[in-house]
Amino acid sequence: VVNLSPSVGFDTRELARRIRVDTVIMTSLGGGSHVGSCLSVADIMAVLYGSTLQVDPSQPKHPERDRFILSKGHAGGIVYASLAEVGFFDRAVLATHYGDGSILSGHVSHWEVPGVEWSTGSLGQGLSLGCGTALASRMRKRNNRTVVVMSDGECDEGQVWEAALFASHHKLDKLLAVVDYNHIQSLASTEETLNLEPFAEKWRAFGWEVRQVDGHDHDALRAAFEPSRGSQPVCVLADTIKGKGVPMMERSVLWHYRSPQLEELETALSALFATAEDRALLVQKDAGYEAISIMRAKQNA
Amino acid sequence: MRDTFLKTLCDLAETDDRVVLLTGDLGFKVLDDFARRFPDRYFNVGVAEANLVTISAALAADGYRPFAYSIGNFPTLRCLEQIRMNIAYTELPVTIVSVGAGFAYGSLGISHHATDDIASMRALHTVRVVSPSDLQEVAEYTEMLLTETQPAYLRLDKDVAPDRKDVACAPDGWRVLDVGSDVALLAHGGIRREAEAAALLLRNEGVSVAVVSAPVLSLFDQKQVESCISNQRLLVSVEEHSVNGGLGSILAEAIADSGSCQKLVRMGLRRFSHEVGSQEYLRRVHRLSATHIANEVRQGLDSL
């Protein structure tokens, strides 16, 4: 019998801190965007990969695995960091993010990256992928769950609501949607741009079991990620702070795009209590490319 | 074509439990047989084409062979980017099926004229585009697509040309139906019927006309296609599709790639159609009837 929960035992708060550090370093080294979006969803990702998802880094394609889909593909950095920290691939690879010849594009890509199910980045498609994935699991009579993490801004997309209708109509009770509700989208707040409220009522009206939680409270998130109590899909509206963990980046539209420059990087790393081990990533670009070569050689063999 | 496709699909689903049929709420009555025989493998996702193709992609990722069914431009242009991201880039074996090629739904208006679909689908590197011209091609390509492992777009017309059982279909090639030395008429879709009628008119005038059916419009065997058109001084493409990006463009590219100096006349649509009328009427309006084709050939030969 395969142990599909090797991540049990992770201190999810420490995991959240680590993946925050990783993404700050990654976006700084590669000149990448969306660090605020990564920090916003870090606690959600840490609880998912540290305690909820039944996945095995040594068997990323195991048929019984839980499926994770990052629909807000622009926060690809936090997925790569989560996967590396729980053992899907060498952490040094993170240092190549955005770089020439890397496997880690800004928007998450499944190409050559163990543990990534789907390439996203065009918003609004992940919940449909989740519907199809959960449907396929049901047709194959498997018990695994499908988890989709979305942004609030992407709920402007019509396809999200096509999928929301489908999931509840077909009672996809093993589908969990988590909305990173940080209230900031590309140019301004969600309230100013296209108001989503009453958001919870919308999901309820579409037939979902809705849970509203503090998206940085790990115990609350863990409880919210429990399976459906009835036969409906579950939507977790996780109230979050964009840029959470680095004060200068919090609640700021600027950090949707900006990558940390030298002094900013140091400020951010201090705010996140980065250790010497954490900081090692700063000088691991060559090791990262070496690790990619090894991964490719293994895949070819 | 639609009925032949669905009968073939039902036969295939009988022995292959990977086959799943999804519809975007279209196919009144004609999907009933599949739905009744394979209720666990039939889904009407509602009027939601983006969801239709993305769900199909996820089913394919789990080993199923989804056929995503709709009409006109809805399963193609409407959700082009979902096809690109979730099916084409991922190289998943989803077959997108559109009924009502070209002007098949002519009187319904511009929304239902599928005349830019091939250009859009064949631009996606991994998608095999198939536009059958007769029922034999519909049945054979439906079966072939199931044996392959790549994304596909199957374009089904209302009009059909007569079967030519004497000429085999190839998964990645074209069919030379009639040999000739003065001009080659190449067509896909039911309009091949008009091309054949034009060929008859021309033969009565002593012109030696080759007729080629070109059902595979992407990922074809370049050499095989070149062999179909080599040794012809004049090529005429006939299609109920924009001249931009369809068979005419494919031939222009083939000529450029091979470095030959053949003359090519591209017959197809050069503007959107605001006129109201049947498929046959709109063909005449856009100068795509047998008479128009014959005239183009005469002029083409005169100019050589």
Side-chain angles (χ1 to χ4, degrees):
Chain A
V1 177
V2 180
N3 174 18
L4 273 171
S5 50
S7 49
V8 165
F10 267 95
D11 173 349
T12 60
R13 286 182 187 81
E14 171 61 8
L15 181 57
R17 192 195 63 78
R18 295 262 304 206
I19 59 180
R20 281 194 165 96
V21 169
D22 291 343
T23 49
V24 165
I25 294 176
M26 288 158 71
T27 48
S28 180
L29 283 181
S33 295
H34 307 115
V35 65
S37 311
C38 290
L39 297 175
S40 163
V41 79
D43 294 299
I44 292 166
M45 294 298 293
V47 173
L48 285 173
Y49 274 95
S51 79
T52 301
L53 292 172
Q54 304 282 301
V55 290
D56 181 351
S58 68
Q59 301 182 81
K61 289 284 177 197
H62 194 285
E64 300 291 330
R65 73 192 183 280
D66 286 344
R67 267 64 165 181
F68 174 79
I69 299 157
L70 181 78
S71 191
K72 45 173 276 179
H74 51 284
I78 202 78
V79 174
Y80 302 141
S82 304
L83 292 170
E85 294 289 354
V86 303
F88 278 84
F89 53 86
D90 193 328
R91 181 173 178 252
V93 176
L94 300 179
T96 69
H97 188 228
Y98 266 71
D100 294 348
S102 176
I103 55 174
L104 306 182
S105 53
H107 292 76
V108 73
S109 170
H110 75 287
W111 205 260
E112 295 187 293
V113 188
V116 176
E117 306 277 353
W118 292 96
S119 299
T120 56
S122 174
L123 294 172
Q125 299 178 9
L127 196 58
S128 294
L129 290 170
C131 285
T133 304
L135 182 66
S137 289
R138 173 187 288 175
M139 290 165 76
R140 298 214 182 270
K141 301 186 169 43
R142 288 191 305 250
N143 272 320
N144 63 302
R145 298 175 75 194
T146 300
V147 179
V148 180
V149 168
M150 299 188 288
S151 74
D152 44 12
E154 80 168 313
C155 291
D156 297 353
E157 293 276 7
Q159 190 177 356
V160 169
W161 303 100
E162 293 182 6
L165 284 171
F166 184 92
S168 83
H169 180 88
H170 290 276
K171 300 193 186 310
L172 298 177
D173 58 338
K174 295 203 166 54
L175 176 63
L176 170 68
V178 184
V179 181
D180 176 19
Y181 197 8
N182 60 34
H183 298 263
I184 293 179
Q185 55 191 97
S186 193
L187 301 181
S189 73
T190 53
E191 286 75 15
E192 288 168 283
T193 308
L194 197 61
N195 190 20
L196 295 164
E197 292 295 339
F199 206 19
E201 280 79 348
K202 286 190 176 69
W203 287 96
R204 275 194 203 99
F206 273 72
W208 287 61
E209 182 182 328
V210 179
R211 299 167 184 171
Q212 291 174 277
V213 294
D214 174 346
H216 303 302
D217 177 337
H218 286 220
D219 294 333
L221 285 170
R222 203 173 288 114
F225 296 162
E226 286 295 311
S228 169
R229 280 190 278 273
S231 57
Q232 294 306 102
V234 175
C235 174
V236 174
L237 294 183
D239 231 326
T240 56
I241 294 167
K242 189 146 186 160
K244 173 73 177 177
V246 179
M248 72 175 167
M249 296 180 182
E250 289 184 359
R251 297 185 178 87
S252 155
V253 175
L254 175 68
W255 289 96
H256 189 75
Y257 301 103
R258 188 174 168 82
S259 53
Q261 308 300 302
L262 274 181
E263 283 171 24
E264 295 163 340
L265 173 65
E266 192 45 51
T267 308
L269 290 179
S270 300
L272 293 167
F273 308 102
T275 65
E277 189 198 342
D278 293 340
R279 288 166 186 267
L281 187 59
L282 285 164
V283 293
Q284 286 184 321
K285 210 174 250 188
D286 290 346
Y289 282 111
E290 181 61 30
I292 290 171
S293 301
I294 294 167
M295 284 162 75
R296 282 186 175 146
K298 259 190 211 165
Q299 274 168 3
N300 291 335
Chain B
M1 284 196 189
R2 177 193 63 193
D3 295 348
T4 301
F5 161 71
L6 286 163
K7 186 188 174 307
T8 309
L9 193 68
C10 282
D11 292 347
L12 293 168
E14 199 68 64
T15 54
D16 188 339
D17 59 12
R18 299 174 306 162
V19 174
V20 179
L21 176 62
L22 301 100
T23 174
D25 203 33
L26 287 165
F28 183 59
K29 295 283 184 201
V30 297
L31 306 184
D32 290 0
D33 190 35
F34 189 101
R36 185 181 51 76
R37 288 165 67 181
F38 315 104
D40 299 337
R41 288 186 276 147
Y42 168 78
F43 299 96
N44 180 356
V45 307
V47 191
E49 292 80 11
N51 209 30
L52 170 74
V53 301
T54 309
I55 285 176
S56 298
L59 293 178
D62 215 319
Y64 288 103
R65 300 302 295 264
F67 286 74
Y69 180 99
S70 183
I71 70 168
N73 302 304
F74 309 138
T76 53
L77 304 194
R78 170 84 187 209
C79 44
L80 179 57
E81 205 225 11
Q82 282 82 359
I83 295 170
R84 177 179 182 271
M85 280 296 290
N86 304 320
I87 295 174
Y89 178 64
T90 50
E91 298 182 42
L92 289 167
V94 174
T95 299
I96 292 155
V97 183
S98 179
V99 170
F103 290 137
Y105 291 116
S107 294
L108 298 192
I110 184 67
S111 61
H112 284 58
H113 296 170
T115 52
D116 334 273
D117 51 329
I118 289 169
S120 309
M121 289 295 110
R122 87 176 185 94
L124 304 173
H125 300 289
T126 56
V127 178
R128 159 134 319 153
V129 174
V130 179
S131 175
S133 57
D134 60 36
L135 299 182
Q136 175 191 355
E137 289 182 358
V138 173
E140 292 200 24
Y141 282 105
T142 301
E143 199 170 342
M144 276 183 216
L145 291 175
L146 195 57
T147 65
E148 297 182 3
T149 57
Q150 73 217 84
Y153 170 49
L154 183 60
R155 182 193 209 238
L156 300 177
D157 203 339
K158 190 163 74 178
D159 192 13
V160 284
D163 280 352
R164 285 288 301 268
K165 303 275 189 198
D166 55 315
V167 185
C169 301
D172 55 0
W174 293 355
R175 302 165 73 207
V176 179
L177 303 178
D178 297 305
V179 181
S181 54
D182 293 328
V183 57
L185 292 176
L186 301 103
H188 63 84
I191 203 167
R192 194 192 97 203
R193 210 170 46 78
E194 303 280 353
E196 289 180 357
L200 267 184
L201 294 173
L202 293 160
R203 282 185 197 120
N204 287 339
E205 298 163 17
V207 182
S208 174
V209 186
V211 176
V212 178
S213 173
V216 183
L217 297 168
S218 63
L219 306 178
F220 41 72
D221 177 344
Q222 195 79 28
K223 287 215 160 49
Q224 199 268 349
V225 162
E226 276 172 24
S227 76
C228 290
I229 58 174
S230 61
N231 305 321
Q232 299 287 354
R233 290 184 306 155
L234 176 62
L235 304 173
V236 178
S237 60
V238 180
E239 59 189 329
E240 216 166 287
H241 182 274
S242 166
V243 289
N244 302 325
L247 176 61
S249 295
I250 291 169
L251 289 170
E253 290 159 19
I255 291 169
D257 287 347
S258 68
S260 73
C261 297
Q262 291 157 291
K263 181 173 172 63
L264 167 67
V265 176
R266 294 178 300 147
M267 296 189 72
L269 306 181
R270 294 182 180 269
R271 61 169 175 85
F272 288 118
S273 185
H274 54 79
E275 293 86 354
V276 178
S278 65
Q279 186 168 30
E280 205 183 334
Y281 171 77
L282 292 178
R283 278 180 189 167
R284 286 202 303 275
V285 167
H286 289 270
R287 309 181 59 79
L288 291 170
S289 70
T291 316
H292 292 113
I293 298 166
N295 280 341
E296 287 288 342
V297 170
R298 288 184 200 109
Q299 284 173 25
L301 288 172
D302 284 349
S303 72
L304 286 177

